Amino acid sequence: MNFILYGEQYPMIRKHLAKILKDRLKEPDDFNTTKIDFDESSIEEIIAEASLLPLGYDKKAIVVDNATFLTKEGKDEEKNKLLECIKDTPDEINLIFILRSDKLDKNGAIATYIKDRGQILEFLNLKKEDWPVYVRKYFKNREVEIEPAAVNELILRVDGDLTRFINEADKLCLFKDRLTLSDILLMVAKP
């Protein structure tokens, strides 16, 4: 199965990628997962890797990060080569493309093909009204209580930056299991 994960929230993409790899491969490791950074590689390297069957495993995954060829600015020749490769890839190989942008060419041939036979997942920036729910859920999953005033102040201090929020929240979880407004004022710097 093939996937496209795209958007500006890379921490969420990374978390979902780990879930996909665990679901598809059961125990992902360096032998059944190949990571290719398109900024440092070419379409030919992706095609070459996709042509190799998994050795000693039932399945393997190829994760292509910075898949800028999935935007409208991508070269048509590269897109055509890759589309043929995707069509010929056996079921034992999972191709996962990561685009760290919201500029996916949704009507492009690759996106259309994967949409019909795989999954395209979008990870947009959280809207202002979604932040309080996300923050409360994040702390609840870590069994840490946080009072409403602390939630609001933390949202203000991370200023819509999910990576910063995760870093600060993880630090706060180590600090206490019941967070108050004064804890946020003490521990989290203003933007």
Side-chain angles (χ1 to χ4, degrees), residues 71-87:
T71 65
K72 289 184 180 179
E73 290 81 36
K75 296 176 185 170
D76 288 337
E77 181 183 321
E78 289 180 340
K79 290 179 187 180
N80 293 336
K81 283 183 188 178
L82 189 60
L83 181 59
E84 290 306 311
C85 169
I86 293 169
K87 288 179 179 178

Side-chain angles (χ1 to χ4, degrees), residues 11-29:
M12 294 173 98
I13 291 173
R14 203 174 54 231
K15 184 177 178 182
H16 202 80
L17 172 63
K19 183 181 182 313
I20 290 171
L21 291 174
K22 189 165 177 36
D23 290 347
R24 305 297 298 172
L25 303 176
K26 305 298 182 233
E27 294 182 31
D29 59 31

Side-chain angles (χ1 to χ4, degrees), residues 131-140 143-156 165 172-173 175-186 188:
W131 270 100
V133 174
Y134 183 78
V135 170
R136 283 192 294 276
K137 183 177 177 186
Y138 192 89
F139 283 104
K140 184 179 180 184
E143 298 176 1
V144 173
E145 291 180 46
I146 184 167
E147 64 182 36
V151 169
N152 294 335
E153 186 61 29
L154 181 58
I155 291 168
L156 288 173
F165 165 73
L172 289 164
C173 288
F175 180 60
K176 275 183 157 180
D177 60 357
R178 173 136 175 66
L179 297 169
T180 64
L181 176 60
S182 61
D183 297 329
I184 303 303
L185 296 173
L186 175 71
V188 182

Side-chain angles (χ1 to χ4, degrees), residues 74-181:
K75 296 176 185 170
D76 288 337
E77 181 183 321
E78 289 180 340
K79 290 179 187 180
N80 293 336
K81 283 183 188 178
L82 189 60
L83 181 59
E84 290 306 311
C85 169
I86 293 169
K87 288 179 179 178
D88 294 339
T89 302
D91 292 336
E92 295 88 16
I93 298 175
N94 299 283
L95 287 167
I96 305 166
F97 300 101
I98 297 174
L99 178 62
R100 298 183 192 207
S101 160
D102 61 352
K103 294 181 169 61
L104 175 69
D105 182 7
K106 294 178 184 174
N107 297 323
I110 295 173
T112 303
Y113 185 83
I114 291 178
K115 182 172 40 176
D116 293 340
R117 294 165 185 81
Q119 266 188 312
I120 297 178
L121 303 167
E122 183 176 29
F123 298 89
L124 297 177
N125 289 329
L126 289 171
K127 295 180 184 122
K128 189 175 182 177
E129 61 271 11
D130 296 336
W131 270 100
V133 174
Y134 183 78
V135 170
R136 283 192 294 276
K137 183 177 177 186
Y138 192 89
F139 283 104
K140 184 179 180 184
N141 288 342
R142 281 150 190 79
E143 298 176 1
V144 173
E145 291 180 46
I146 184 167
E147 64 182 36
V151 169
N152 294 335
E153 186 61 29
L154 181 58
I155 291 168
L156 288 173
R157 290 184 179 234
V158 298
D159 197 31
D161 184 343
L162 185 63
T163 303
R164 184 164 178 224
F165 165 73
I166 291 171
N167 290 337
E168 295 294 347
D170 289 346
K171 178 175 71 175
L172 289 164
C173 288
L174 294 172
F175 180 60
K176 275 183 157 180
D177 60 357
R178 173 136 175 66
L179 297 169
T180 64
L181 176 60

